[in-house]
Amino acid sequence: MRVALLCSSSSVPTTDWVADQLARRGHQVDRPVAPLAAAADAADAGHALADRWTVDRPDVALAVGWLAGLAAQVAARETSVPVALRLTRAGRSPGSDRDRIEVALARGSALVLVPSAGAVDRLVDRGVPRRLLRVLPEAVDTTLFADDGAEASATAGHRVAVAPGSDVPSDPARLLAGLPACQPVVLPAAGHTRDLPAALRSLTAVVAVDDSDAGVSLVLQAMSCGVPTVAVDTGTLSDLVADQVTGLLVPRPADVPEALRSLLADPMRRQSMGLAAVDRARARFDTEVVGTALDRLLHEVVPAHPEVAAAS
């Protein structure tokens, strides 16, 4: 099928692997507009897309992020192109303008893809029909983020990174205060992805306190590199981390230090969790696995031609 792939500015890494996976499966992938950063840009882009799609119509628009969804649905009103909408933290800010927009976009989409069962329940509570909702996990490139390979140089002691998020203290080291021989690590900045796997492999653990897009991505990358996680049991983190298997889930950020202390004190447990994290990342969150699931879900919107279906 022909897929028009739209993204919000924060969703570029996701659309990169999505475009690659769909192309590998024989789909034609168009990126008709630049990443969108503001609602006004999205509305303008939507009107421009409507003009384009009137004469050159895709089979489906896959919109990653609510801004991309806004552009896609503006265009779809005039062209009847079905929209598959990907949302990450949907329903997390009840009553906000963004929440109202996301719910309206979800109701108007042919398919809504969210990363966790909790997100499905939140959107159903907001009035989105359950029949429109599907869980599509977040993904990680397990070839790039592998548990074997070079490690960044490290000093003695435990190296712990705190995943970014809105609930992270302004000084992330506060989460690690009072832990013996625990060194907070600042990871390579965005744009230095090639340096990140080695840095992750040098860690003892990763801490995550909320499921921001960047935080979820880092937890998956760390899991794929064999690093156990201590995470607050919330949102997508609850689906990523298998408690007591690939890491530890705690009820509140205040519980992180004690859980991390117990993990740092038990090297055999850390090793076991790291191995389990690699297996879980490869089995459930690898881009190939999630790409196959996405392909299947898009065919719910645009069924395969009879001859294709017969061949499969």
Side-chain angles (χ1 to χ4, degrees), residues 7-16 34-38 64-68 86 88-89 98 102 138 212-214 217:
C7 71
S8 304
S9 56
S10 62
S11 305
V12 174
T14 298
T15 50
D16 285 343
L36 300 164
V64 183
W66 71 271
L67 286 171
R86 170 63 163 176
T88 52
R89 305 190 81 205
R98 174 171 169 173
E102 288 187 335
E138 298 291 355
S212 68
D213 291 349
S217 179

Coordinates of all heavy atoms in Angstrom, one line a residue, residues 7-16 34-38 64-68 86 88-89 98 102 138 212-214 217:
C7 N 4.8 13.2 10.9 CA 5.3 13.2 12.3 C 5.3 14.5 12.9 O 5.5 15.6 12.2 CB 6.6 12.5 12.3 SG 8.0 13.4 11.7
S8 N 5.2 14.5 14.2 CA 5.5 15.7 15.0 C 7.0 15.8 15.2 O 7.7 14.8 15.1 CB 4.8 15.6 16.4 OG 3.4 15.4 16.2
S9 N 7.5 17.0 15.6 CA 8.9 17.2 15.7 C 9.6 16.2 16.7 O 10.7 15.8 16.5 CB 9.3 18.6 16.1 OG 8.6 19.0 17.3
S10 N 8.9 15.9 17.8 CA 9.4 15.0 18.8 C 9.4 13.5 18.4 O 9.9 12.6 19.1 CB 8.7 15.1 20.1 OG 7.3 14.8 19.9
S11 N 8.8 13.2 17.2 CA 8.5 11.8 16.8 C 9.4 11.4 15.7 O 9.2 10.3 15.1 CB 7.1 11.6 16.4 OG 6.2 12.0 17.5
V12 N 10.4 12.2 15.3 CA 11.3 11.8 14.1 C 11.9 10.5 14.3 O 12.0 9.7 13.4 CB 12.3 13.0 13.9 CG1 13.3 12.5 12.8 CG2 11.6 14.2 13.5
P13 N 12.6 10.2 15.5 CA 13.2 8.8 15.6 C 12.2 7.7 15.3 O 12.6 6.7 14.7 CB 13.7 8.8 17.0 CG 13.9 10.3 17.4 CD 12.8 11.0 16.7
T14 N 11.0 7.8 15.8 CA 10.0 6.8 15.6 C 9.7 6.6 14.1 O 9.7 5.5 13.5 CB 8.7 7.1 16.3 OG1 9.0 7.1 17.7 CG2 7.6 6.1 16.0
T15 N 9.5 7.7 13.4 CA 9.1 7.6 12.0 C 10.3 7.1 11.1 O 10.0 6.5 10.1 CB 8.6 9.0 11.4 OG1 9.6 10.0 11.8 CG2 7.3 9.4 12.0
D16 N 11.5 7.3 11.6 CA 12.6 6.8 10.8 C 12.6 5.3 10.8 O 12.7 4.7 9.7 CB 14.0 7.2 11.5 CG 14.3 8.7 11.2 OD1 13.7 9.3 10.3 OD2 15.2 9.3 11.9
A34 N 7.3 18.3 6.4 CA 8.4 18.3 7.4 C 7.8 18.1 8.8 O 6.6 18.2 9.0 CB 9.1 19.7 7.4
P35 N 8.6 17.6 9.7 CA 8.1 17.4 11.1 C 7.4 18.7 11.6 O 7.9 19.8 11.5 CB 9.4 17.1 11.9 CG 10.3 16.5 10.9 CD 10.0 17.2 9.6
L36 N 6.3 18.5 12.3 CA 5.4 19.6 12.7 C 5.7 19.9 14.2 O 5.8 19.1 15.0 CB 4.0 19.2 12.5 CG 3.6 18.9 11.0 CD1 2.3 18.2 11.0 CD2 3.6 20.2 10.2
A37 N 5.8 21.2 14.4 CA 6.1 21.7 15.8 C 5.0 22.6 16.4 O 5.1 22.8 17.6 CB 7.4 22.5 15.8
A38 N 4.0 23.0 15.7 CA 3.0 23.9 16.2 C 1.7 23.6 15.6 O 1.6 23.2 14.4 CB 3.4 25.3 16.0
V64 N 2.1 10.2 13.3 CA 2.8 9.9 14.6 C 2.9 11.2 15.4 O 3.6 12.1 15.1 CB 4.2 9.3 14.3 CG1 4.9 9.0 15.6 CG2 4.1 8.1 13.4
G65 N 2.0 11.2 16.5 CA 1.9 12.4 17.3 C 0.7 13.2 17.0 O 0.2 13.2 15.9
W66 N 0.2 14.0 18.0 CA -1.1 14.6 17.8 C -1.0 15.8 16.8 O -2.0 16.0 16.0 CB -1.6 15.1 19.1 CG -0.9 16.3 19.7 CD1 0.2 16.3 20.5 CD2 -1.2 17.7 19.5 NE1 0.5 17.6 20.9 CE2 -0.3 18.5 20.3 CE3 -2.2 18.4 18.8 CZ2 -0.3 19.8 20.4 CZ3 -2.2 19.8 18.9 CH2 -1.3 20.5 19.6
L67 N 0.1 16.4 16.6 CA 0.3 17.5 15.6 C 0.2 16.9 14.2 O -0.5 17.5 13.3 CB 1.6 18.2 15.8 CG 1.6 19.2 17.0 CD1 3.1 19.7 17.2 CD2 0.7 20.4 16.8
A68 N 0.8 15.8 14.0 CA 0.7 15.1 12.7 C -0.7 14.6 12.5 O -1.2 14.7 11.4 CB 1.7 13.9 12.7
R86 N -1.0 7.5 15.8 CA -0.1 7.0 16.8 C 0.0 8.0 17.9 O 0.5 9.1 17.7 CB 1.3 6.7 16.2 CG 2.3 6.3 17.3 CD 2.0 5.1 18.1 NE 3.1 4.5 18.8 CZ 3.1 3.5 19.6 NH1 2.0 2.8 19.8 NH2 4.2 3.0 20.2
T88 N 1.3 8.6 22.1 CA 2.1 8.0 23.2 C 1.6 8.2 24.6 O 1.2 7.2 25.3 CB 3.6 8.5 23.1 OG1 3.6 9.9 23.1 CG2 4.3 8.0 21.8
R89 N 1.4 9.4 25.0 CA 0.9 9.6 26.4 C -0.5 10.1 26.4 O -0.9 10.9 27.3 CB 1.9 10.6 27.1 CG 3.3 10.3 27.0 CD 4.2 11.2 27.9 NE 4.1 10.8 29.3 CZ 4.3 11.6 30.3 NH1 4.5 12.9 30.1 NH2 4.2 11.2 31.6
R98 N -4.6 19.9 25.1 CA -4.0 18.8 24.4 C -4.8 17.5 24.5 O -5.0 16.8 23.6 CB -2.5 18.5 24.8 CG -1.9 17.3 24.1 CD -0.5 17.2 24.4 NE 0.0 15.9 24.0 CZ 1.3 15.5 24.0 NH1 2.2 16.4 24.3 NH2 1.7 14.3 23.6
E102 N -6.4 15.5 21.5 CA -6.1 14.1 21.2 C -7.3 13.2 21.2 O -7.4 12.3 20.4 CB -5.1 13.6 22.2 CG -3.7 14.2 22.0 CD -2.6 13.6 23.0 OE1 -3.0 13.1 24.0 OE2 -1.5 13.6 22.6
E138 N 6.3 0.3 21.9 CA 7.4 1.1 21.4 C 8.5 0.1 20.9 O 8.4 -1.1 21.2 CB 8.0 1.9 22.6 CG 7.0 2.9 23.2 CD 6.7 4.1 22.2 OE1 7.4 4.1 21.1 OE2 5.9 4.9 22.5
S212 N 7.9 9.6 29.8 CA 8.1 10.6 28.7 C 8.6 9.8 27.5 O 9.2 8.7 27.7 CB 9.2 11.6 29.1 OG 10.5 11.1 29.3
D213 N 8.5 10.3 26.3 CA 8.9 9.7 25.1 C 10.4 9.4 25.2 O 10.8 8.3 24.9 CB 8.6 10.5 23.9 CG 7.1 10.6 23.6 OD1 6.4 9.9 24.2 OD2 6.8 11.5 22.8
A214 N 11.2 10.4 25.6 CA 12.6 10.2 25.7 C 13.0 9.1 26.8 O 13.9 8.3 26.6 CB 13.3 11.5 26.0
S217 N 12.2 5.6 25.5 CA 13.2 5.2 24.5 C 14.5 4.8 25.2 O 15.1 3.7 24.9 CB 13.5 6.4 23.6 OG 14.5 6.1 22.6

